[in-house]
mmCIF file of all heavy atoms in Angstrom:
data_model
loop_
_atom_site.group_PDB
_atom_site.id
_atom_site.type_symbol
_atom_site.label_atom_id
_atom_site.label_comp_id
_atom_site.label_asym_id
_atom_site.label_seq_id
_atom_site.Cartn_x
_atom_site.Cartn_y
_atom_site.Cartn_z
ATOM 1 N N LYS A 34 15.013 9.287 -0.859
ATOM 2 C CA LYS A 34 16.430 9.430 -1.186
ATOM 3 C C LYS A 34 17.123 8.083 -1.300
ATOM 4 O O LYS A 34 17.848 7.830 -2.234
ATOM 5 C CB LYS A 34 17.122 10.310 -0.141
ATOM 6 C CG LYS A 34 16.670 11.748 -0.208
ATOM 7 C CD LYS A 34 17.316 12.600 0.836
ATOM 8 C CE LYS A 34 16.745 14.004 0.694
ATOM 9 N NZ LYS A 34 16.922 14.818 1.839
ATOM 10 N N ASP A 35 16.911 7.209 -0.331
ATOM 11 C CA ASP A 35 17.559 5.900 -0.333
ATOM 12 C C ASP A 35 16.589 4.867 -0.898
ATOM 13 O O ASP A 35 15.713 4.376 -0.202
ATOM 14 C CB ASP A 35 17.982 5.517 1.081
ATOM 15 C CG ASP A 35 18.688 4.172 1.139
ATOM 16 O OD1 ASP A 35 19.072 3.648 0.075
ATOM 17 O OD2 ASP A 35 18.844 3.642 2.250
ATOM 18 N N LYS A 36 16.746 4.565 -2.179
ATOM 19 C CA LYS A 36 15.851 3.615 -2.836
ATOM 20 C C LYS A 36 16.325 2.169 -2.701
ATOM 21 O O LYS A 36 15.652 1.251 -3.117
ATOM 22 C CB LYS A 36 15.675 3.996 -4.307
ATOM 23 C CG LYS A 36 14.893 5.297 -4.463
ATOM 24 C CD LYS A 36 14.693 5.631 -5.909
ATOM 25 C CE LYS A 36 13.883 6.868 -6.129
ATOM 26 N NZ LYS A 36 14.300 8.068 -5.494
ATOM 27 N N ASP A 37 17.485 1.977 -2.083
ATOM 28 C CA ASP A 37 18.003 0.634 -1.864
ATOM 29 C C ASP A 37 17.171 -0.038 -0.771
ATOM 30 O O ASP A 37 16.841 0.562 0.238
ATOM 31 C CB ASP A 37 19.468 0.699 -1.437
ATOM 32 C CG ASP A 37 20.119 -0.667 -1.439
ATOM 33 O OD1 ASP A 37 19.825 -1.464 -2.352
ATOM 34 O OD2 ASP A 37 20.919 -0.938 -0.526
ATOM 35 N N GLY A 38 16.826 -1.276 -0.972
ATOM 36 C CA GLY A 38 16.077 -2.003 0.039
ATOM 37 C C GLY A 38 14.579 -1.772 -0.007
ATOM 38 O O GLY A 38 13.894 -1.954 0.990
ATOM 39 N N ILE A 39 14.047 -1.355 -1.169
ATOM 40 C CA ILE A 39 12.611 -1.129 -1.323
ATOM 41 C C ILE A 39 12.019 -2.181 -2.256
ATOM 42 O O ILE A 39 12.562 -2.432 -3.333
ATOM 43 C CB ILE A 39 12.313 0.277 -1.878
ATOM 44 C CG1 ILE A 39 12.696 1.338 -0.848
ATOM 45 C CG2 ILE A 39 10.840 0.409 -2.260
ATOM 46 C CD1 ILE A 39 12.510 2.766 -1.326
ATOM 47 N N GLN A 40 10.920 -2.777 -1.834
ATOM 48 C CA GLN A 40 10.163 -3.703 -2.676
ATOM 49 C C GLN A 40 8.815 -3.070 -2.986
ATOM 50 O O GLN A 40 8.144 -2.568 -2.096
ATOM 51 C CB GLN A 40 9.945 -5.033 -1.951
ATOM 52 C CG GLN A 40 9.109 -6.024 -2.732
ATOM 53 C CD GLN A 40 9.778 -6.468 -4.021
ATOM 54 O OE1 GLN A 40 10.855 -7.044 -3.998
ATOM 55 N NE2 GLN A 40 9.146 -6.196 -5.139
ATOM 56 N N LEU A 41 8.436 -3.071 -4.261
ATOM 57 C CA LEU A 41 7.146 -2.550 -4.688
ATOM 58 C C LEU A 41 6.152 -3.699 -4.850
ATOM 59 O O LEU A 41 6.510 -4.763 -5.355
ATOM 60 C CB LEU A 41 7.282 -1.819 -6.023
ATOM 61 C CG LEU A 41 8.223 -0.616 -6.049
ATOM 62 C CD1 LEU A 41 8.415 -0.125 -7.473
ATOM 63 C CD2 LEU A 41 7.694 0.494 -5.168
ATOM 64 N N ILE A 42 4.898 -3.446 -4.444
ATOM 65 C CA ILE A 42 3.818 -4.405 -4.639
ATOM 66 C C ILE A 42 2.606 -3.643 -5.150
ATOM 67 O O ILE A 42 2.247 -2.603 -4.589
ATOM 68 C CB ILE A 42 3.442 -5.139 -3.332
ATOM 69 C CG1 ILE A 42 4.646 -5.863 -2.735
ATOM 70 C CG2 ILE A 42 2.284 -6.115 -3.583
ATOM 71 C CD1 ILE A 42 4.371 -6.511 -1.374
ATOM 72 N N THR A 43 1.985 -4.152 -6.204
ATOM 73 C CA THR A 43 0.760 -3.555 -6.730
ATOM 74 C C THR A 43 -0.031 -4.606 -7.489
ATOM 75 O O THR A 43 0.415 -5.747 -7.643
ATOM 76 C CB THR A 43 1.059 -2.334 -7.634
ATOM 77 O OG1 THR A 43 -0.157 -1.635 -7.902
ATOM 78 C CG2 THR A 43 1.714 -2.746 -8.944
ATOM 79 N N GLU A 44 -1.181 -4.206 -7.977
ATOM 80 C CA GLU A 44 -1.989 -5.097 -8.804
ATOM 81 C C GLU A 44 -1.399 -5.140 -10.212
ATOM 82 O O GLU A 44 -0.912 -4.134 -10.719
ATOM 83 C CB GLU A 44 -3.424 -4.579 -8.896
ATOM 84 C CG GLU A 44 -4.140 -4.541 -7.569
ATOM 85 C CD GLU A 44 -5.439 -3.770 -7.631
ATOM 86 O OE1 GLU A 44 -5.454 -2.667 -8.212
ATOM 87 O OE2 GLU A 44 -6.423 -4.266 -7.103
ATOM 88 N N LYS A 45 -1.472 -6.291 -10.824
ATOM 89 C CA LYS A 45 -0.956 -6.460 -12.183
ATOM 90 C C LYS A 45 -1.998 -5.956 -13.186
ATOM 91 O O LYS A 45 -3.179 -6.282 -13.079
ATOM 92 C CB LYS A 45 -0.658 -7.927 -12.447
ATOM 93 C CG LYS A 45 0.098 -8.176 -13.728
ATOM 94 C CD LYS A 45 0.441 -9.640 -13.829
ATOM 95 C CE LYS A 45 1.768 -9.792 -14.526
ATOM 96 N NZ LYS A 45 2.251 -11.157 -14.448
ATOM 97 N N ASN A 46 -1.522 -5.155 -14.138
ATOM 98 C CA ASN A 46 -2.376 -4.729 -15.248
ATOM 99 C C ASN A 46 -1.508 -4.554 -16.492
ATOM 100 O O ASN A 46 -0.312 -4.822 -16.466
ATOM 101 C CB ASN A 46 -3.171 -3.456 -14.894
ATOM 102 C CG ASN A 46 -2.292 -2.245 -14.677
ATOM 103 O OD1 ASN A 46 -1.147 -2.197 -15.104
ATOM 104 N ND2 ASN A 46 -2.824 -1.256 -13.996
ATOM 105 N N LYS A 47 -2.096 -4.098 -17.574
ATOM 106 C CA LYS A 47 -1.368 -3.992 -18.850
ATOM 107 C C LYS A 47 -0.196 -3.022 -18.771
ATOM 108 O O LYS A 47 0.810 -3.205 -19.456
ATOM 109 C CB LYS A 47 -2.327 -3.557 -19.962
ATOM 110 C CG LYS A 47 -3.340 -4.606 -20.313
ATOM 111 C CD LYS A 47 -4.304 -4.107 -21.359
ATOM 112 C CE LYS A 47 -5.391 -5.134 -21.600
ATOM 113 N NZ LYS A 47 -6.406 -4.655 -22.521
ATOM 114 N N SER A 48 -0.302 -1.986 -17.944
ATOM 115 C CA SER A 48 0.753 -0.971 -17.897
ATOM 116 C C SER A 48 2.003 -1.421 -17.154
ATOM 117 O O SER A 48 3.060 -0.834 -17.323
ATOM 118 C CB SER A 48 0.215 0.320 -17.274
ATOM 119 O OG SER A 48 -0.007 0.140 -15.894
ATOM 120 N N ASN A 49 1.898 -2.451 -16.308
ATOM 121 C CA ASN A 49 3.064 -2.828 -15.519
ATOM 122 C C ASN A 49 3.428 -4.315 -15.621
ATOM 123 O O ASN A 49 4.326 -4.775 -14.932
ATOM 124 C CB ASN A 49 2.842 -2.456 -14.048
ATOM 125 C CG ASN A 49 1.672 -3.178 -13.426
ATOM 126 O OD1 ASN A 49 1.277 -4.264 -13.847
ATOM 127 N ND2 ASN A 49 1.083 -2.574 -12.409
ATOM 128 N N ALA A 50 2.732 -5.058 -16.475
ATOM 129 C CA ALA A 50 2.876 -6.520 -16.548
ATOM 130 C C ALA A 50 4.308 -6.985 -16.813
ATOM 131 O O ALA A 50 4.708 -8.039 -16.338
ATOM 132 C CB ALA A 50 1.928 -7.088 -17.599
ATOM 133 N N GLY A 51 5.096 -6.224 -17.527
ATOM 134 C CA GLY A 51 6.449 -6.652 -17.861
ATOM 135 C C GLY A 51 7.504 -6.320 -16.831
ATOM 136 O O GLY A 51 8.661 -6.701 -16.971
ATOM 137 N N ARG A 52 7.140 -5.613 -15.779
ATOM 138 C CA ARG A 52 8.120 -5.185 -14.782
ATOM 139 C C ARG A 52 8.583 -6.347 -13.924
ATOM 140 O O ARG A 52 7.779 -7.133 -13.440
ATOM 141 C CB ARG A 52 7.527 -4.089 -13.886
ATOM 142 C CG ARG A 52 7.064 -2.866 -14.626
ATOM 143 C CD ARG A 52 7.815 -1.597 -14.414
ATOM 144 N NE ARG A 52 8.453 -1.332 -13.182
ATOM 145 C CZ ARG A 52 8.185 -0.283 -12.413
ATOM 146 N NH1 ARG A 52 7.223 0.544 -12.723
ATOM 147 N NH2 ARG A 52 8.878 -0.076 -11.328
ATOM 148 N N LYS A 53 9.880 -6.445 -13.744
ATOM 149 C CA LYS A 53 10.475 -7.527 -12.949
ATOM 150 C C LYS A 53 10.746 -7.093 -11.507
ATOM 151 O O LYS A 53 11.060 -7.922 -10.672
ATOM 152 C CB LYS A 53 11.792 -7.989 -13.582
ATOM 153 C CG LYS A 53 11.646 -8.449 -15.012
ATOM 154 C CD LYS A 53 10.938 -9.772 -15.096
ATOM 155 C CE LYS A 53 10.911 -10.257 -16.527
ATOM 156 N NZ LYS A 53 9.778 -11.062 -16.842
ATOM 157 N N ASP A 54 10.650 -5.798 -11.224
ATOM 158 C CA ASP A 54 10.976 -5.275 -9.897
ATOM 159 C C ASP A 54 9.753 -5.145 -8.989
ATOM 160 O O ASP A 54 9.839 -4.589 -7.908
ATOM 161 C CB ASP A 54 11.668 -3.914 -10.029
ATOM 162 C CG ASP A 54 10.799 -2.863 -10.716
ATOM 163 O OD1 ASP A 54 9.959 -3.232 -11.561
ATOM 164 O OD2 ASP A 54 10.975 -1.669 -10.419
ATOM 165 N N ILE A 55 8.612 -5.662 -9.427
ATOM 166 C CA ILE A 55 7.359 -5.539 -8.681
ATOM 167 C C ILE A 55 6.821 -6.923 -8.342
ATOM 168 O O ILE A 55 6.854 -7.824 -9.171
ATOM 169 C CB ILE A 55 6.300 -4.770 -9.508
ATOM 170 C CG1 ILE A 55 6.781 -3.362 -9.859
ATOM 171 C CG2 ILE A 55 4.975 -4.699 -8.768
ATOM 172 C CD1 ILE A 55 5.841 -2.603 -10.788
ATOM 173 N N LEU A 56 6.305 -7.067 -7.125
ATOM 174 C CA LEU A 56 5.522 -8.246 -6.765
ATOM 175 C C LEU A 56 4.067 -7.899 -7.044
ATOM 176 O O LEU A 56 3.631 -6.794 -6.727
ATOM 177 C CB LEU A 56 5.710 -8.599 -5.291
ATOM 178 C CG LEU A 56 7.100 -9.053 -4.878
ATOM 179 C CD1 LEU A 56 7.172 -9.265 -3.372
ATOM 180 C CD2 LEU A 56 7.505 -10.319 -5.617
ATOM 181 N N PHE A 57 3.328 -8.837 -7.625
ATOM 182 C CA PHE A 57 1.977 -8.511 -8.080
ATOM 183 C C PHE A 57 0.872 -9.204 -7.304
ATOM 184 O O PHE A 57 0.998 -10.360 -6.898
ATOM 185 C CB PHE A 57 1.824 -8.880 -9.563
ATOM 186 C CG PHE A 57 2.610 -8.003 -10.479
ATOM 187 C CD1 PHE A 57 3.736 -8.491 -11.126
ATOM 188 C CD2 PHE A 57 2.239 -6.691 -10.701
ATOM 189 C CE1 PHE A 57 4.471 -7.687 -11.979
ATOM 190 C CE2 PHE A 57 2.972 -5.873 -11.548
ATOM 191 C CZ PHE A 57 4.083 -6.371 -12.192
ATOM 192 N N LEU A 58 -0.217 -8.463 -7.159
ATOM 193 C CA LEU A 58 -1.500 -8.973 -6.703
ATOM 194 C C LEU A 58 -2.410 -8.987 -7.917
ATOM 195 O O LEU A 58 -2.124 -8.331 -8.918
ATOM 196 C CB LEU A 58 -2.098 -8.046 -5.635
ATOM 197 C CG LEU A 58 -1.271 -7.848 -4.371
ATOM 198 C CD1 LEU A 58 -1.831 -6.695 -3.549
ATOM 199 C CD2 LEU A 58 -1.251 -9.128 -3.555
ATOM 200 N N LYS A 59 -3.528 -9.695 -7.829
ATOM 201 C CA LYS A 59 -4.515 -9.674 -8.911
ATOM 202 C C LYS A 59 -5.329 -8.387 -8.822
ATOM 203 O O LYS A 59 -5.646 -7.921 -7.733
ATOM 204 C CB LYS A 59 -5.466 -10.863 -8.819
ATOM 205 C CG LYS A 59 -4.915 -12.129 -9.376
ATOM 206 C CD LYS A 59 -6.043 -13.136 -9.555
ATOM 207 C CE LYS A 59 -5.526 -14.398 -10.183
ATOM 208 N NZ LYS A 59 -5.324 -14.310 -11.592
ATOM 209 N N GLN A 60 -5.671 -7.844 -9.984
ATOM 210 C CA GLN A 60 -6.520 -6.658 -10.047
ATOM 211 C C GLN A 60 -7.882 -7.024 -9.460
ATOM 212 O O GLN A 60 -8.469 -8.038 -9.816
ATOM 213 C CB GLN A 60 -6.683 -6.221 -11.508
ATOM 214 C CG GLN A 60 -7.412 -4.930 -11.698
ATOM 215 C CD GLN A 60 -6.488 -3.740 -11.707
ATOM 216 O OE1 GLN A 60 -5.378 -3.816 -12.234
ATOM 217 N NE2 GLN A 60 -6.915 -2.651 -11.138
ATOM 218 N N GLN A 61 -8.373 -6.203 -8.519
ATOM 219 C CA GLN A 61 -9.669 -6.509 -7.924
ATOM 220 C C GLN A 61 -10.599 -5.303 -7.983
ATOM 221 O O GLN A 61 -10.162 -4.172 -7.934
ATOM 222 C CB GLN A 61 -9.523 -7.029 -6.497
ATOM 223 C CG GLN A 61 -9.018 -6.050 -5.485
ATOM 224 C CD GLN A 61 -8.862 -6.676 -4.105
ATOM 225 O OE1 GLN A 61 -8.333 -7.762 -3.955
ATOM 226 N NE2 GLN A 61 -9.326 -5.977 -3.092
ATOM 227 N N ASP A 62 -11.887 -5.600 -8.115
ATOM 228 C CA ASP A 62 -12.934 -4.587 -8.188
ATOM 229 C C ASP A 62 -14.071 -5.044 -7.280
ATOM 230 O O ASP A 62 -14.660 -6.106 -7.504
ATOM 231 C CB ASP A 62 -13.415 -4.465 -9.635
ATOM 232 C CG ASP A 62 -14.571 -3.498 -9.810
ATOM 233 O OD1 ASP A 62 -14.982 -2.856 -8.827
ATOM 234 O OD2 ASP A 62 -15.072 -3.393 -10.941
ATOM 235 N N ARG A 63 -14.382 -4.256 -6.250
ATOM 236 C CA ARG A 63 -15.415 -4.644 -5.281
ATOM 237 C C ARG A 63 -16.779 -4.864 -5.922
ATOM 238 O O ARG A 63 -17.621 -5.554 -5.369
ATOM 239 C CB ARG A 63 -15.565 -3.566 -4.197
ATOM 240 C CG ARG A 63 -14.475 -3.590 -3.187
ATOM 241 C CD ARG A 63 -14.794 -2.760 -1.961
ATOM 242 N NE ARG A 63 -15.618 -1.607 -2.158
ATOM 243 C CZ ARG A 63 -15.293 -0.364 -1.842
ATOM 244 N NH1 ARG A 63 -14.129 -0.111 -1.315
ATOM 245 N NH2 ARG A 63 -16.129 0.618 -2.033
ATOM 246 N N LYS A 64 -17.022 -4.289 -7.088
ATOM 247 C CA LYS A 64 -18.325 -4.412 -7.745
ATOM 248 C C LYS A 64 -18.442 -5.676 -8.603
ATOM 249 O O LYS A 64 -19.516 -6.004 -9.074
ATOM 250 C CB LYS A 64 -18.597 -3.180 -8.596
ATOM 251 C CG LYS A 64 -18.701 -1.918 -7.758
ATOM 252 C CD LYS A 64 -18.780 -0.691 -8.613
ATOM 253 C CE LYS A 64 -18.701 0.545 -7.733
ATOM 254 N NZ LYS A 64 -18.288 1.712 -8.448
ATOM 255 N N SER A 65 -17.355 -6.368 -8.799
ATOM 256 C CA SER A 65 -17.334 -7.565 -9.630
ATOM 257 C C SER A 65 -17.871 -8.781 -8.863
ATOM 258 O O SER A 65 -17.656 -8.919 -7.659
ATOM 259 C CB SER A 65 -15.904 -7.849 -10.099
ATOM 260 O OG SER A 65 -15.799 -9.128 -10.649
ATOM 261 N N ARG A 66 -18.518 -9.672 -9.582
ATOM 262 C CA ARG A 66 -18.974 -10.935 -8.973
ATOM 263 C C ARG A 66 -17.800 -11.790 -8.527
ATOM 264 O O ARG A 66 -17.923 -12.616 -7.636
ATOM 265 C CB ARG A 66 -19.804 -11.732 -9.975
ATOM 266 C CG ARG A 66 -21.157 -11.172 -10.215
ATOM 267 C CD ARG A 66 -21.924 -12.117 -11.098
ATOM 268 N NE ARG A 66 -23.110 -11.460 -11.587
ATOM 269 C CZ ARG A 66 -23.797 -11.865 -12.616
ATOM 270 N NH1 ARG A 66 -23.417 -12.937 -13.283
ATOM 271 N NH2 ARG A 66 -24.870 -11.215 -12.993
ATOM 272 N N LYS A 67 -16.667 -11.619 -9.185
ATOM 273 C CA LYS A 67 -15.478 -12.406 -8.857
ATOM 274 C C LYS A 67 -14.716 -11.854 -7.651
ATOM 275 O O LYS A 67 -13.751 -12.458 -7.204
ATOM 276 C CB LYS A 67 -14.531 -12.442 -10.063
ATOM 277 C CG LYS A 67 -15.095 -13.141 -11.271
ATOM 278 C CD LYS A 67 -14.097 -13.078 -12.404
ATOM 279 C CE LYS A 67 -14.658 -13.696 -13.668
ATOM 280 N NZ LYS A 67 -13.717 -13.595 -14.789
#
Side-chain angles (χ1 to χ4, degrees):
K34 291 178 182 161
D35 181 13
K36 291 182 178 54
D37 190 39
I39 293 177
Q40 177 64 61
L41 300 172
I42 303 175
T43 191
E44 297 168 314
K45 190 175 214 170
N46 65 19
K47 291 177 185 175
S48 71
N49 62 26
R52 302 248 330 239
K53 303 288 185 210
D54 61 330
I55 300 174
L56 294 176
F57 290 109
L58 300 168
K59 279 194 177 282
Q60 186 90 37
Q61 67 182 46
D62 176 3
R63 284 193 329 237
K64 296 172 187 159
S65 167
R66 287 186 193 162
K67 296 178 183 178

